[in-house]
Amino acid sequence: MVASRSWTRVLALLCCVWLIAPACTLRGDVTTPTPPATADATTPTVSPTSATPEPGGSLIVAIPDEPDSLNFSLTAQRSARWVISSIEARLIRVRSDNSLEPQLLAEVPTRENGGISPDGKTYLLRFRDGLRWSDGEPLGAQDFQFTWRTLTDPSYPANDRRGWDDIVAVEVTADNREATVRLRAPSAAFVETVLAGAGASDGGFLLPAHALEDTDPADIPDSAFSGEGHVGSGPFRVIKWTPGEELVVERNEWFAGPEPRLERIVFRFVPDPRQAIAYLTTGEVDLAVDLPETALPDLAQAPEVNALITPRAGAVASYAFNLNDPEQPDEPHPIFADPAVRLAIALGFNRAGVIDSLLLGQATVAATPLDHSPWQNPEIGAYPYDPAQAARVLDAAGWVVQPDGIRRRGTVRLSFTHTTTLGEDAPAVLRRQIQEAFIADMRAIGIEVVPKNYPLVQIDGPHGVAATRRFDLIELTGDGGAGPELLIHRFASASIPTPAAPSGGNVMGYANPEVDRLLAAQARALDPGERQRLVAQVQRQVHDDVPLIPIYTHLQIDVGRSYVQGLDPGPVAGLWWNPEEWWVDRSEVTD
């Protein structure tokens, strides 16, 4: 993105973070979507304290999974990305208020500072002086060039090449301070996809040329860089990795930013969320991250902990309609091709009731796929729960209630299947609880919904139920993207999955020429205001067409002992954008 005001202004999302102490009493005061606020309206993430940050000490963090790799370009695992965020700096990072802050770069490229050419095809990256990797070797423009060449090498199994594959050339100055990046076409999204990153994204990270340039790209995944031999640029460096137990990082003396306040962070692998909460209450861990939403009732009973509950921007749980017949993909769906049915389902689904009963009121009914992101269209409200209006819409469309209570139009019975995940893990259980509530709500307006669930492994993937579109209505668990790229992935007609290209996210088969036009236009719009306007128009059109029903924005739930300070999560940034600023208030520590 090009110096967009949507990134540089603060979104005062009052629901982003709450501190609950000394006993964790969860509150239900999440705000509904509002227009972006000014920079003086931020909400503190912790209660005011007179304690002075002291250097030193360790922090023991419970994470749900052992990292599968410490190479940012080879993993999509959230736990791995959090560890990586402690041992790698970014070219540009997103702060908790959604503003952009250069880390490895000296400035965020804009047209005004000469960082972006008038035609949008050339970016000038100016690196800070004196940067070094954790082994003391120089870091600069050559590492950007090496990262581009590696990620786009056909033999390299990169997890995501978006943005990098738009580059046609990278020229580096002799002093290693500047990289001139030439793109094949203007790209308004280059800053956000390649240069800037936050949360569990891989944007902004680099590979160390000096450590990997003599390794064949195909062999890099098996190199020491992916594990205990990692060379990074962040505030901490890897010291020890005990498989199945923990990973330890300590201060990186070569970090270019302020000296980390903590001496070390110990990542302990605790897959059971209830065990993580138990460790918190006994003080065996200081911080537990990414607890499931089903843990909210348990947290309400946990003493001496502070729960930070943050909406994950763009990670919106939704129900997606298959607009084509699953048995005859070239034909319209016999029920969902009728927009009146889709609207009635949105009106008849008591999403607020689900949130109140299953999430203790800690979320709000979603209005758009970009809720809580800088790109959210604040003028769009969620469809209200109005079963009476839903019934009137169906009546007007000719769907007549039959003696058994289910509607019919002609020979078509208003009955369809709904798909979510099987399994006893907490997220799967929650999804089926929501499904049960949905089925009951639909029955009340004359619609029969039959559950047809599968293990997650059978839903995801190139041959899964979603990609092959073998469903009527399916739950989308939220992409976690926070910008226009998510809209392209989800709603562009070119993103409809096919056997030849199964990775598209438009599993609905949604095709609207106006949406395609707007998405193409925003990708070329170098003016931030114009791009924001186009993205808002996409959201309005999608909302009116109802190809899916947003339910709620998934929550990031992080819980720390009362003495853990400096935590400052944001809806885009997540928790891990500033680990060098975390510290332990020793006056609060009890034996």
Side-chain angles (χ1 to χ4, degrees):
M1 187 185 351
V2 186
S4 172
R5 289 175 305 208
S6 63
W7 282 104
T8 56
R9 63 192 177 189
V10 177
L11 291 181
L13 298 169
L14 299 180
C15 58
C16 289
V17 182
W18 301 297
L19 180 70
I20 304 99
C24 181
T25 304
L26 303 178
R27 293 161 33 192
D29 55 352
V30 187
T31 59
T32 52
T34 56
T38 56
D40 60 355
T42 54
T43 302
T45 59
V46 294
S47 299
T49 176
S50 59
T52 301
E54 299 179 51
S58 298
L59 192 71
I60 302 176
V61 183
I63 60 175
D65 301 291
E66 181 169 3
D68 55 6
S69 175
L70 296 184
N71 183 334
F72 77 90
S73 64
L74 299 178
T75 180
Q77 185 194 59
R78 288 167 59 80
S79 290
R81 295 276 177 81
W82 298 326
V83 176
I84 291 168
S85 292
S86 74
I87 58 178
E88 295 284 5
R90 300 181 190 259
L91 295 163
I92 300 167
R93 71 176 176 183
V94 182
R95 297 177 59 86
S96 62
D97 62 7
N98 298 328
S99 63
L100 294 182
E101 177 185 50
Q103 271 197 298
L104 298 178
L105 295 183
E107 59 191 358
V108 177
T110 66
R111 287 190 292 177
E112 290 72 20
N113 64 23
I116 304 174
S117 64
D119 65 1
K121 295 173 65 176
T122 303
Y123 283 72
L124 177 61
L125 309 184
R126 302 183 177 97
F127 282 77
R128 294 174 59 185
D129 191 20
L131 296 174
R132 292 189 179 275
W133 293 97
S134 58
D135 59 1
E137 292 296 318
L139 184 160
Q142 291 177 355
D143 296 292
F144 183 92
Q145 184 183 61
F146 174 78
T147 302
W148 162 60
R149 288 174 174 167
T150 302
L151 265 59
T152 55
D153 189 295
S155 68
Y156 187 73
N159 181 67
D160 189 355
R161 293 183 172 88
R162 285 179 301 174
W164 293 99
D165 53 9
D166 293 331
I167 301 172
V168 294
V170 176
E171 300 156 10
V172 176
T173 56
D175 62 3
N176 200 28
R177 288 284 305 280
E178 295 184 353
T180 299
V181 182
R182 305 192 188 280
L183 309 180
R184 61 172 49 89
S187 173
F190 185 72
V191 169
E192 65 210 49
T193 57
V194 171
L195 305 183
S201 77
D202 60 4
F205 293 134
L206 295 179
L207 298 171
H210 75 279
L212 297 173
E213 60 189 351
D214 293 332
T215 304
D216 188 278
D219 296 330
I220 289 177
D222 297 323
S223 70
F225 176 74
S226 296
E228 208 166 12
H230 186 87
V231 177
S233 58
F236 299 91
R237 60 190 180 92
V238 179
I239 297 299
K240 183 178 68 172
W241 187 343
T242 305
E245 296 182 17
E246 63 183 27
L247 188 153
V248 182
V249 301
E250 291 186 354
R251 281 183 190 153
N252 172 18
E253 62 178 315
W254 297 108
F255 178 52
E259 182 179 29
R261 292 171 176 170
L262 292 169
E263 179 65 32
R264 69 184 57 81
I265 299 176
V266 178
F267 295 92
R268 188 161 294 170
F269 314 138
V270 186
D272 183 348
R274 291 198 171 184
Q275 186 67 65
I277 295 173
Y279 285 159
L280 273 173
T281 58
T282 61
E284 293 177 71
V285 303
D286 306 305
L287 175 66
V289 300
D290 199 36
L291 293 176
E293 292 157 338
T294 51
L296 288 168
D298 293 325
L299 291 175
Q301 306 301 319
E304 301 298 328
V305 299
N306 297 330
L308 293 89
I309 304 174
T310 315
R312 289 169 46 205
V316 178
S318 305
Y319 283 176
F321 298 102
N322 192 341
L323 301 178
N324 298 104
D325 188 333
E327 303 300 325
Q328 303 178 71
D330 293 332
E331 297 295 326
H333 195 282
I335 293 174
F336 297 147
D338 184 352
V341 172
R342 305 197 301 271
L343 175 60
I345 291 172
L347 293 169
F349 184 13
N350 187 3
R351 293 169 284 169
V354 164
I355 291 167
D356 287 343
S357 62
L358 299 178
L359 298 175
L360 303 188
Q362 294 298 297
T364 51
V365 175
T368 79
L370 295 182
D371 272 15
H372 300 291
S373 81
W375 296 97
Q376 178 184 353
N377 183 342
E379 297 181 357
I380 297 175
Y383 284 108
Y385 173 52
D386 191 341
Q389 177 62 17
R392 289 192 291 269
V393 169
L394 291 172
D395 290 341
W399 294 96
V400 180
V401 179
Q402 302 300 305
D404 64 355
I406 303 303
R407 295 173 181 269
R408 183 184 295 272
R409 186 169 67 182
T411 61
V412 179
R413 179 177 167 85
L414 193 42
S415 174
F416 55 83
T417 63
H418 176 268
T419 296
T420 189
T421 54
L422 291 173
E424 296 308 314
D425 58 288
V429 170
L430 176 60
R431 290 167 192 154
R432 291 199 303 279
Q433 290 173 325
I434 297 174
Q435 180 188 59
E436 291 169 4
F438 174 71
I439 290 172
D441 287 343
M442 294 301 100
R443 179 80 191 193
I445 59 174
I447 299 176
E448 180 182 57
V449 181
V450 179
K452 189 175 183 181
N453 302 328
Y454 302 86
L456 182 60
V457 68
Q458 294 183 29
I459 294 177
D460 288 346
H463 305 294
V465 172
T468 55
R469 306 183 62 215
R470 303 190 309 273
F471 64 88
D472 287 325
L473 184 68
I474 195 168
E475 179 174 6
L476 305 177
T477 57
D479 299 271
E485 291 296 308
L486 172 61
L487 298 182
I488 294 172
H489 175 70
R490 187 61 75 197
F491 300 110
S493 60
S495 296
I496 298 173
T498 65
S503 62
N506 185 352
V507 299
M508 299 85 66
Y510 175 69
N512 184 315
E514 178 62 8
V515 167
D516 286 341
R517 184 192 70 80
L518 292 168
L519 288 172
Q522 67 81 28
R524 299 187 301 267
L526 299 179
D527 177 76
E530 174 65 7
R531 191 175 182 217
Q532 188 89 37
R533 184 184 67 81
L534 293 167
V535 171
Q537 286 183 322
V538 172
Q539 293 172 75
R540 168 58 65 186
Q541 188 64 61
V542 168
H543 178 267
D544 292 347
D545 290 343
V546 202
L548 53 68
I549 302 173
I551 304 173
Y552 72 98
T553 303
H554 284 292
L555 304 173
Q556 174 81 27
I557 302 175
D558 307 302
V559 186
R561 300 280 292 181
S562 59
Y563 50 76
V564 180
Q565 304 291 322
L567 307 178
D568 186 20
V572 175
L575 180 69
W576 290 91
W577 70 273
N578 70 333
E580 73 276 13
E581 298 177 19
W582 299 355
W583 59 286
V584 173
D585 181 1
R586 291 187 176 87
S587 68
E588 295 286 336
V589 177
T590 57
D591 294 331

